[in-house]
Amino acid sequence: ALLDRMAVTEHGIVFRYIPAGTFLMGSAAGDPDETPVHPVRLDGHWIAETPVSWSSYCALMDWSPPPRGLPETMPEDFEDRFGLSEGTKIRLQYCEDATTRALDWHAHYPPSDPDDASSGRFGNPPRDSTDPWSYDRKPMVGVSWRNAEALCERLSTVRIRYRLPTEAEWERA
């Protein structure tokens, strides 16, 4: 109950406090890189309650909203441009709010005309809603480490420094 009362909302994101302590990290039954199970001591830290959605990421970065979901000015670097474009295809396939099954990324792009007969050209994934294209329920995926760090940098101030969690912090949380 105390930890619930300590939750803080910043930038529309709920952050939870994880107290300092020791926990057992790893898995005896998992992949080889998860063994051995070992104790890890961490200082107290804050972590977002849920991953940032594609819609929230775009709003926080001043990008165009999904389904375009890209910066207004694309980077000069080919790898960054390519990564953003390919990441959008992955996000279209995964982040559409109402899909229950992913198909070809084209099928997840909202039709410009809902009555267009060609809108099913790439398949019609099953949807649990008639308006699935808000992209605000599923987490941002297909994002480069550089762009994740850019979000942290953008949100940071002199007093509050945002960063990605370490593997141990993420596993403990």
Side-chain angles (χ1 to χ4, degrees), residues 13-16 46-52 170:
I13 303 168
V14 177
F15 290 91
R16 298 287 185 162
W46 292 85
I47 194 164
E49 182 177 66
T50 61
V52 173
W170 179 259

Side-chain angles (χ1 to χ4, degrees), residues 124-164:
N124 287 312
R127 294 184 169 96
D128 62 7
S129 169
T130 56
D131 184 22
W133 293 290
S134 61
Y135 307 98
D136 60 0
R137 288 192 345 216
K138 293 182 182 175
M140 173 72 163
V141 296
V143 64
S144 69
W145 177 88
R146 190 180 318 191
N147 284 322
E149 282 289 316
L151 176 62
C152 293
E153 194 63 35
R154 184 174 183 91
L155 299 180
S156 292
T157 64
V158 174
R159 291 183 52 222
I160 299 173
R161 188 94 190 119
Y162 292 88
R163 63 174 176 79
L164 297 174

Side-chain angles (χ1 to χ4, degrees), residues 3-102:
L3 292 176
D4 284 340
R5 289 196 310 269
M6 290 177 62
V8 173
T9 302
E10 293 284 333
H11 309 287
I13 303 168
V14 177
F15 290 91
R16 298 287 185 162
Y17 182 70
I18 309 298
T22 301
F23 77 107
L24 293 176
M25 183 172 172
S27 170
D31 292 332
D33 66 342
E34 297 174 336
T35 61
V37 175
H38 57 285
V40 174
R41 171 118 181 106
L42 293 174
D43 293 333
H45 61 280
W46 292 85
I47 194 164
E49 182 177 66
T50 61
V52 173
S53 71
W54 186 17
S55 184
S56 295
Y57 183 92
C58 290
L60 291 166
M61 292 295 289
D62 288 332
W63 287 11
S64 61
R68 183 172 182 273
L70 294 170
E72 294 302 323
T73 305
M74 289 294 277
E76 294 290 323
D77 183 81
F78 172 77
E79 284 185 35
D80 287 343
R81 280 196 327 265
F82 181 78
L84 285 169
S85 297
E86 292 304 300
T88 295
K89 292 176 185 177
I90 294 167
R91 288 185 286 279
L92 278 168
Q93 202 166 351
Y94 177 76
C95 291
E96 181 188 315
D97 280 353
T99 51
T100 56
R101 185 166 44 99

